[in-house]
Amino acid sequence: MKKSVIFIEPTGHMSNVFENYMHLPLLGSLYLATILHHNGYRVRVINENILGREVDPFEIQADVFCLTALTVSASRAKFLAAQLRMIYPDCRVLIGGIHASLLPEEFTDVADHVVVGEAEEIIVDLVEGRIQEKVVAGRKVENLADLPPINYALLDGFSTMNIVPVMTSRGCPFDCTFCTVSKIFGRKFRKVSAERVVADVENAMGYFSSKEFFFYDDNFTADRRRVDAICDLVLKKKLGIDWAAQVRCDLAENPNLVAKMAKAGCRWVYIGFESIEDETLKALHKSQTRADIVHAIQVFHQYGINIHGMFMFGEDHNTLETIDQTVEFATQHGIDTVQFMILTPFPGTRCYEDLAGSNRLLHKNWDYYNAMYIVFQPARMSPERLQIETYRAYRRFYSLRRTASDMLFMSFNVLLDALVFNFRRANAYRLSTVFIRAGAKAIIGKCSDAHIAYLSYLKNVEQRKLLENSTQSM
Amino acid sequence: MHGNGLTRSTANSIKRLAFLLILIGLLIALDTFLKLDVIYRLWPILIAMVGGGLIGIFYHGNSQVPMFLVTGVYLLCFSGLALYCSFTSWTAMARLWPLFITFLGVVFLALCTIREKRRMVLLAGLLLISLSAMFSVTQSFGAGWWWIILILVGLSILVAEKVK
């Protein structure tokens, strides 16, 4: 009888706004699970966010456990791995994921194997025990079309997901200083054909009643011809899906493609604007300017596509005014929803090397490395101030007054346009935005305790550092 | 002024509104001076215009927000009833009230035809129309006719089952 394998995607210890908003599995585990399932293994995938609780090691049993360690979930992954080995001494524990790939030595004492990079081509050998090394280097999947269509049913609670994730490419040609994508997946953009993308969407439609899709790709539109072909196929096959994707501002240089995307069901784009200051964007190697951002917002809105704008505070050029100006900018330009994040130096990135090299990291408690908390000494403000102001920025953007006045203003315009048969602005009326913003406000409120707790944690860290320094000088 | 693409000038709509107001003013003036006593009864047409406009916005928007279709169809139906009452008598509403339920049913049918092509939406529409029909029948012929609802619900289920 073939072995049983359980994949576990642990939850991050500290709450992140995004985790509360979207419960999606990491498709890496599902691809690996599907490969093993095709090879006759008994496989389960457990995502603790989708499960809604932390998994109890006593309630699961398998010959092999595969854990995913992101930076924010690294300590939970370590804890789980140690527990599983203790409870089931005969089982084998494998750990992979971004954090394990960047810092494999952190996991060698709790896992039988730590996989660095992509594991699709070695997973069967690993499960069968044909690989002996402790730290195993994975091989990049050169042709993503070789991967089987995902079997979503292997995921516990998959039917509760109302947004369906699909991944169609890996790698990003850009090299932003703070991003881990190019470190893990490389700068070469690997992709599947438009036909395969649509086949994957149709495959997913067989599992879910929802027709809302999220393309997981870090830069979905890196190959514009492919996106054009995908849209053509979606329209030709009348799939009737609504979808969202992560894109870059430069897509707006091609308004015809944006128009086609909107026609093919693109309802949301997730854009890493990062900053409204040109010098910050330059320092981050973002390859875009404030003018590009403004243009992109105009173009996407012109075709009725909602924008989820992601901004980042804490870069060395940023001051407290930057935060205020960013909120003002997002409000004035009508960005539909935003994520205000704090620059987080993920291990392995240039940003991490710079900050660690200049001894500016406040601590290495990975639980807090989720872009919600300040973990380094900013150049032009105190860490506490940055933490407080970021939270305040959220509250300002998602204020109830702003949402209510937007709602009233939109209602007035809709009635006026309807009465006089003016349909030019029909694309501007995106009701879902208002509802999502109201929901986001509630989520922000829920995170306030975590912010306060982190501020006192920071105080403790500072006191400990002072103590250490004084002990050393004695 | 706020986002959502609404920051752009509403001048075009305002200008059209101005022309509309002038037109309505002139028509009412005509009605008053010529003692036609007709024009002011046509006010439900304004509601029909809003309803039609909402359906237009639904069709022209890439997102096709269902709420615009729902509200538009309901307003169109209601304006028809209001126009009828305006030229006859509003006391007719005492027996025509089940039509409000029918309108809801029509909304579901429109949704099913245009946007949400689901069996449950079709069934909801048919059930609401059946309910409205039962109220109308029992109102006209007496409470003893309540059993008509059983037949209509049965028929609704059969029709909904037939549709893919």
Side-chain angles (χ1 to χ4, degrees), chain A residues 8 10 32 65-70 73 77 93-101 107 111 113-117 119:
Chain A
I8 305 173
L32 297 175
F65 291 100
C66 303
L67 276 69
T68 308
L70 306 181
S73 60
V93 176
L94 318 181
I95 296 188
I98 292 178
H99 193 76
S101 297
F107 301 92
H113 300 285
V114 185
V115 182
V116 175

Side-chain angles (χ1 to χ4, degrees), chain A residues 262 267 303-304 334 336 405-406 409-410 413-414 416-431, chain B residues 1-6 8 10 12-13 16-17 20 46 49-50 53-54 56-57 60-63 65 67-68:
Chain A
R267 300 286 167 257
Y303 295 103
D336 302 276
S405 72
D406 268 5
F409 192 65
M410 194 191 290
N413 276 282
V414 166
L416 180 64
D417 284 355
L419 183 63
V420 298
F421 282 46
N422 177 8
F423 305 135
R424 281 186 196 171
R425 291 184 302 178
N427 275 333
Y429 303 126
R430 299 182 296 278
L431 281 183
Chain B
M1 299 288 264
H2 296 289
N4 289 328
L6 300 177
R8 270 165 259 137
T10 55
N12 195 20
S13 291
R16 289 190 195 193
L17 180 68
L20 184 69
L46 284 176
M49 282 171 71
V50 174
L54 285 173
I57 291 174
H60 283 80
N62 273 328
S63 300
V65 182
M67 194 178 302
F68 294 148

Side-chain angles (χ1 to χ4, degrees), chain A residues 287-438:
Chain A
S287 312
Q288 72 186 26
T289 61
R290 180 188 168 112
D292 296 335
I293 294 174
V294 173
H295 178 62
I297 295 169
Q298 281 168 354
V299 171
F300 287 117
H301 277 169
Q302 187 185 339
Y303 295 103
I305 296 177
N306 296 301
I307 299 171
H308 178 76
M310 293 174 276
F311 293 94
M312 206 162 60
F313 303 133
E315 200 276 333
D316 285 355
H317 293 87
N318 290 174
T319 61
L320 287 176
E321 285 73 46
T322 310
I323 301 176
D324 282 343
Q325 286 162 2
T326 306
V327 178
E328 200 67 25
F329 177 91
T331 312
Q332 271 184 355
H333 288 83
I335 298 177
D336 302 276
T337 55
V338 295
Q339 223 174 321
F340 294 129
M341 291 173 286
I342 296 176
L343 175 64
T344 301
F346 288 106
T349 60
R350 214 171 322 151
C351 175
Y352 180 86
E353 285 159 20
D354 291 347
L355 290 169
S358 52
N359 205 22
R360 284 169 61 190
L361 290 182
L362 297 173
H363 58 76
K364 286 189 186 175
N365 183 346
W366 306 131
D367 289 346
Y368 291 107
Y369 279 59
N370 69 351
M372 281 274 289
Y373 305 102
I374 175 72
V375 295
F376 66 95
Q377 177 62 50
R380 300 192 186 190
M381 60 193 112
S382 71
E384 292 82 4
R385 203 73 229 146
L386 177 55
Q387 185 69 37
I388 290 166
E389 290 304 324
T390 304
Y391 185 63
R392 197 172 285 164
Y394 265 123
R395 292 188 59 145
R396 276 179 62 199
F397 185 86
Y398 290 108
S399 83
L400 205 58
R401 202 173 65 179
R402 202 172 90 78
T403 306
S405 72
D406 268 5
M407 190 73 189
L408 279 175
F409 192 65
M410 194 191 290
S411 306
F412 169 77
N413 276 282
V414 166
L415 283 177
L416 180 64
D417 284 355
L419 183 63
V420 298
F421 282 46
N422 177 8
F423 305 135
R424 281 186 196 171
R425 291 184 302 178
N427 275 333
Y429 303 126
R430 299 182 296 278
L431 281 183
S432 58
T433 304
V434 182
F435 295 123
I436 289 173
R437 240 191 264 159

